[in-house]
Amino acid sequence: MKYLFYPLLIFSLLLASCIGIDAESNIRADGTIQLKLVYSVSKAVDELGRLGANEVYFPLPVGRDDLQLAAGRSGAELRSWNRNDTDDKIIITANLDFPDPDSFAAFLDPAGGMAKFSKSNGLNTLTLTLTRGTTVAEPDFLEFIKAVFGDYEIALNFKLPGTNVNANGFTLNGNNASFKMKAADVYSSPKALVLSLNWQNS
């Protein structure tokens, strides 16, 4: 299978709802970012994704080379990568280093439409669009996804420099912002799902 790997797969190709993800991002005061990703892909769906008719639904990034290429293109470094196969899923663990938030946003979405970073008057803003809203032509297919992959979740955690933090869609605890939602619910959301973080460095 040939992948068209736009790394927004890490935060929004989760829309396939057959992928679960746990992402921890540490944004430092100097702008560098460390990202740890743990994502799970159902083996059953990996096989479905190999059928040409289903490629649009399941463009799965399960290879190190895909991630290495995406990191390099954004100016990031793939520090470590590991794949673990269980009976029913593929679990990928990766650690990446980014020189600045622009590189981080470019990694998530090279097109710049669904992951954006901006800075104005000392205020940093990171915006992530997980979905622009989904219209599924085949309701039975959507019900199948919800039933089979309902346990998969998207969990995003950010540690931010400073405590002057505001957020939309995240739960805040000091300078820590977190988001968790079932991947199937993200995939089936009829409305856009947009998360944002605003912070000032200490």
Coordinates of all heavy atoms in Angstrom, one line a residue, residues 1-43:
M1 N 0.8 -1.2 0.0 CA 0.0 0.0 0.0 C 0.9 1.2 0.0 O 1.9 1.3 0.7 CB -0.9 0.0 1.2 CG -1.7 1.2 1.4 SD -2.7 1.1 2.9 CE -3.5 2.8 2.9
K2 N 0.5 2.2 -0.8 CA 1.3 3.5 -0.8 C 0.6 4.5 0.0 O -0.6 4.8 -0.2 CB 1.4 4.0 -2.3 CG 2.2 5.3 -2.4 CD 2.3 5.7 -3.8 CE 3.1 7.0 -3.9 NZ 3.2 7.4 -5.3
Y3 N 1.3 5.0 1.0 CA 0.7 6.0 2.0 C 0.9 7.4 1.5 O 2.0 7.8 1.1 CB 1.3 5.8 3.4 CG 1.1 4.5 4.0 CD1 2.2 3.7 4.4 CD2 -0.2 4.0 4.2 CE1 2.0 2.4 4.9 CE2 -0.4 2.7 4.8 CZ 0.7 2.0 5.1 OH 0.5 0.8 5.7
L4 N -0.1 8.2 1.6 CA 0.0 9.6 1.5 C 0.0 10.2 2.9 O -1.0 10.5 3.4 CB -1.2 10.2 0.7 CG -1.3 9.7 -0.8 CD1 -2.5 10.3 -1.4 CD2 -0.1 10.1 -1.6
F5 N 1.2 10.2 3.5 CA 1.3 10.4 4.9 C 1.5 11.9 5.2 O 2.5 12.4 5.2 CB 2.5 9.6 5.5 CG 2.7 9.8 6.9 CD1 1.7 9.5 7.8 CD2 3.9 10.4 7.4 CE1 1.9 9.8 9.2 CE2 4.0 10.6 8.8 CZ 3.0 10.3 9.6
Y6 N 0.3 12.5 5.6 CA 0.4 13.8 6.2 C 0.3 13.6 7.7 O -0.6 13.1 8.2 CB -0.8 14.7 5.7 CG -0.5 15.3 4.3 CD1 -0.6 14.5 3.2 CD2 -0.3 16.6 4.2 CE1 -0.4 15.0 2.0 CE2 0.0 17.2 2.9 CZ -0.1 16.3 1.8 OH 0.1 16.9 0.6
P7 N 1.3 14.1 8.4 CA 1.4 13.7 9.8 C 0.3 14.2 10.7 O 0.2 14.0 11.9 CB 2.7 14.3 10.3 CG 3.5 14.5 9.1 CD 2.5 14.8 8.0
L8 N -0.7 15.0 10.1 CA -1.8 15.3 10.9 C -2.6 14.0 11.3 O -3.5 13.9 12.1 CB -2.8 16.2 10.2 CG -3.9 16.8 11.0 CD1 -3.3 17.6 12.2 CD2 -4.7 17.8 10.2
L9 N -2.1 12.9 10.6 CA -2.6 11.5 11.0 C -2.4 11.4 12.5 O -3.1 10.7 13.2 CB -1.8 10.5 10.3 CG -2.1 10.3 8.8 CD1 -1.1 9.5 8.1 CD2 -3.5 9.7 8.6
I10 N -1.3 12.0 13.0 CA -1.0 11.8 14.4 C -2.1 12.4 15.3 O -2.4 11.9 16.3 CB 0.4 12.5 14.7 CG1 1.5 11.8 13.9 CG2 0.7 12.3 16.2 CD1 1.6 10.3 14.1
F11 N -2.7 13.6 14.9 CA -3.7 14.2 15.6 C -5.1 14.2 15.0 O -6.1 14.4 15.6 CB -3.4 15.7 15.9 CG -2.4 15.8 17.0 CD1 -1.3 16.6 16.9 CD2 -2.5 15.1 18.2 CE1 -0.3 16.8 17.9 CE2 -1.6 15.2 19.2 CZ -0.5 16.0 19.1
S12 N -5.1 13.9 13.7 CA -6.5 13.9 13.0 C -6.7 12.8 12.1 O -7.9 12.6 11.7 CB -6.7 15.2 12.3 OG -6.1 15.2 11.1
L13 N -5.8 12.0 11.6 CA -6.1 10.8 10.9 C -6.7 9.8 11.8 O -7.0 8.7 11.4 CB -4.9 10.3 10.2 CG -4.5 10.9 8.8 CD1 -3.5 10.1 8.1 CD2 -5.7 11.1 8.0
L14 N -6.6 10.2 13.1 CA -7.3 9.5 14.1 C -8.8 9.4 13.7 O -9.6 8.7 14.3 CB -7.2 10.2 15.4 CG -5.8 10.6 15.7 CD1 -5.7 11.5 16.9 CD2 -5.0 9.4 16.0
L15 N -9.2 10.2 12.8 CA -10.6 10.3 12.3 C -11.0 8.9 11.8 O -12.2 8.6 11.7 CB -10.8 11.3 11.2 CG -10.3 12.7 11.6 CD1 -10.6 13.7 10.4 CD2 -10.9 13.2 12.8
A16 N -10.0 8.0 11.5 CA -10.4 6.7 11.1 C -11.0 5.9 12.2 O -11.6 4.9 12.0 CB -9.1 6.0 10.6
S17 N -10.9 6.4 13.4 CA -11.5 5.8 14.7 C -11.0 4.4 15.0 O -11.4 3.8 15.9 CB -13.0 5.9 14.6 OG -13.5 4.8 13.9
C18 N -10.1 3.9 14.1 CA -9.5 2.6 14.4 C -8.1 2.8 15.0 O -7.3 1.9 15.1 CB -9.4 1.8 13.1 SG -8.5 2.7 11.9
I19 N -7.8 4.1 15.3 CA -6.5 4.4 15.8 C -6.7 5.1 17.2 O -7.5 6.0 17.3 CB -5.7 5.4 14.9 CG1 -5.5 4.8 13.5 CG2 -4.4 5.8 15.5 CD1 -4.9 5.7 12.5
G20 N -6.0 4.6 18.2 CA -6.0 5.2 19.5 C -4.7 5.9 19.7 O -3.6 5.4 19.2
I21 N -4.7 7.0 20.4 CA -3.4 7.8 20.5 C -3.3 8.4 21.9 O -4.3 8.9 22.5 CB -3.3 8.9 19.4 CG1 -1.9 9.5 19.5 CG2 -4.3 9.9 19.6 CD1 -1.6 10.4 18.3
D22 N -2.1 8.4 22.4 CA -1.7 9.1 23.6 C -0.5 9.9 23.3 O 0.6 9.4 23.0 CB -1.4 8.1 24.7 CG -1.3 8.7 26.1 OD1 -1.0 9.9 26.1 OD2 -1.4 8.0 27.1
A23 N -0.7 11.3 23.3 CA 0.4 12.2 22.9 C 0.7 13.1 24.1 O -0.2 13.7 24.6 CB 0.0 13.0 21.7
E24 N 2.0 13.2 24.4 CA 2.5 14.1 25.5 C 3.5 15.0 24.9 O 4.5 14.6 24.4 CB 3.1 13.3 26.6 CG 2.1 12.4 27.3 CD 2.7 11.7 28.5 OE1 3.9 12.0 28.9 OE2 2.1 10.8 29.1
S25 N 3.2 16.3 25.0 CA 4.0 17.4 24.4 C 4.5 18.3 25.5 O 3.7 18.8 26.3 CB 3.3 18.2 23.4 OG 2.7 17.4 22.4
N26 N 5.8 18.5 25.6 CA 6.4 19.4 26.5 C 7.0 20.6 25.8 O 8.0 20.5 25.0 CB 7.6 18.7 27.3 CG 8.2 19.5 28.3 OD1 7.7 20.6 28.7 ND2 9.3 19.1 28.9
I27 N 6.3 21.7 25.9 CA 6.8 23.0 25.2 C 7.6 23.8 26.2 O 7.1 24.2 27.3 CB 5.6 23.8 24.8 CG1 4.7 22.9 23.8 CG2 6.0 25.1 24.1 CD1 3.4 23.7 23.4
R28 N 8.9 24.0 25.9 CA 9.8 24.7 26.8 C 9.8 26.2 26.6 O 9.3 26.7 25.5 CB 11.2 24.1 26.6 CG 11.3 22.7 27.1 CD 12.6 22.1 26.6 NE 12.8 20.8 27.2 CZ 13.7 19.9 26.7 NH1 14.4 20.2 25.7 NH2 13.9 18.7 27.3
A29 N 10.3 26.9 27.5 CA 10.3 28.4 27.4 C 11.1 28.9 26.2 O 10.9 29.9 25.7 CB 10.9 29.0 28.7
D30 N 12.1 28.1 25.8 CA 13.0 28.5 24.6 C 12.3 28.1 23.3 O 12.9 28.3 22.2 CB 14.4 27.9 24.7 CG 14.4 26.4 24.7 OD1 13.3 25.8 24.5 OD2 15.5 25.8 24.7
G31 N 11.1 27.5 23.4 CA 10.4 27.2 22.2 C 10.5 25.8 21.7 O 9.8 25.3 20.8
T32 N 11.6 25.1 22.2 CA 11.8 23.7 21.7 C 10.7 22.8 22.3 O 10.1 23.1 23.4 CB 13.1 23.2 22.2 OG1 13.2 23.2 23.6 CG2 14.3 24.0 21.5
I33 N 10.3 21.7 21.6 CA 9.2 20.9 22.0 C 9.7 19.4 21.9 O 10.3 19.0 21.0 CB 8.0 21.1 21.1 CG1 7.5 22.5 21.2 CG2 6.9 20.1 21.5 CD1 6.4 22.8 20.2
Q34 N 9.3 18.7 23.0 CA 9.5 17.2 23.0 C 8.1 16.6 22.9 O 7.2 16.9 23.6 CB 10.2 16.8 24.2 CG 11.7 17.1 24.3 CD 12.4 16.4 25.4 OE1 11.9 16.2 26.5 NE2 13.7 16.1 25.2
L35 N 8.0 15.7 22.0 CA 6.7 15.0 21.8 C 6.9 13.5 21.9 O 7.8 12.9 21.3 CB 6.2 15.3 20.4 CG 4.9 14.5 19.9 CD1 3.7 14.8 20.8 CD2 4.6 14.8 18.4
K36 N 6.1 12.9 22.8 CA 6.0 11.4 22.9 C 4.7 10.9 22.4 O 3.6 11.4 22.8 CB 6.2 10.9 24.3 CG 6.2 9.4 24.4 CD 6.4 8.9 25.9 CE 6.3 7.4 26.0 NZ 6.5 7.0 27.4
L37 N 4.7 10.0 21.4 CA 3.5 9.5 20.8 C 3.4 8.0 21.0 O 4.4 7.3 20.8 CB 3.5 9.7 19.3 CG 3.3 11.1 18.7 CD1 3.6 11.1 17.3 CD2 1.9 11.6 19.0
V38 N 2.2 7.6 21.5 CA 2.0 6.1 21.6 C 0.6 5.9 20.8 O -0.4 6.4 21.3 CB 1.9 5.6 23.0 CG1 1.6 4.1 23.0 CG2 3.1 5.9 23.8
Y39 N 0.7 5.3 19.7 CA -0.6 5.1 19.0 C -0.8 3.7 18.6 O 0.1 2.9 18.3 CB -0.8 6.1 17.8 CG 0.2 6.0 16.7 CD1 0.0 5.4 15.5 CD2 1.5 6.7 16.9 CE1 0.9 5.5 14.5 CE2 2.4 6.7 15.9 CZ 2.1 6.1 14.6 OH 3.0 6.1 13.6
S40 N -2.1 3.2 18.6 CA -2.4 1.9 18.3 C -3.3 1.8 17.1 O -4.2 2.6 16.9 CB -3.3 1.3 19.5 OG -2.6 1.5 20.7
V41 N -3.0 0.8 16.3 CA -3.7 0.6 15.0 C -4.3 -0.8 15.0 O -3.5 -1.8 15.3 CB -2.8 0.8 13.8 CG1 -3.6 0.6 12.5 CG2 -2.2 2.1 13.8
S42 N -5.6 -1.0 14.8 CA -6.1 -2.3 14.7 C -5.6 -3.1 13.6 O -5.6 -2.6 12.4 CB -7.7 -2.2 14.6 OG -8.2 -3.4 14.2
K43 N -5.2 -4.3 13.8 CA -4.7 -5.1 12.7 C -5.8 -5.4 11.7 O -5.5 -5.5 10.5 CB -4.1 -6.5 13.2 CG -2.7 -6.3 13.8 CD -2.1 -7.7 14.1 CE -0.6 -7.5 14.6 NZ 0.0 -8.8 15.0

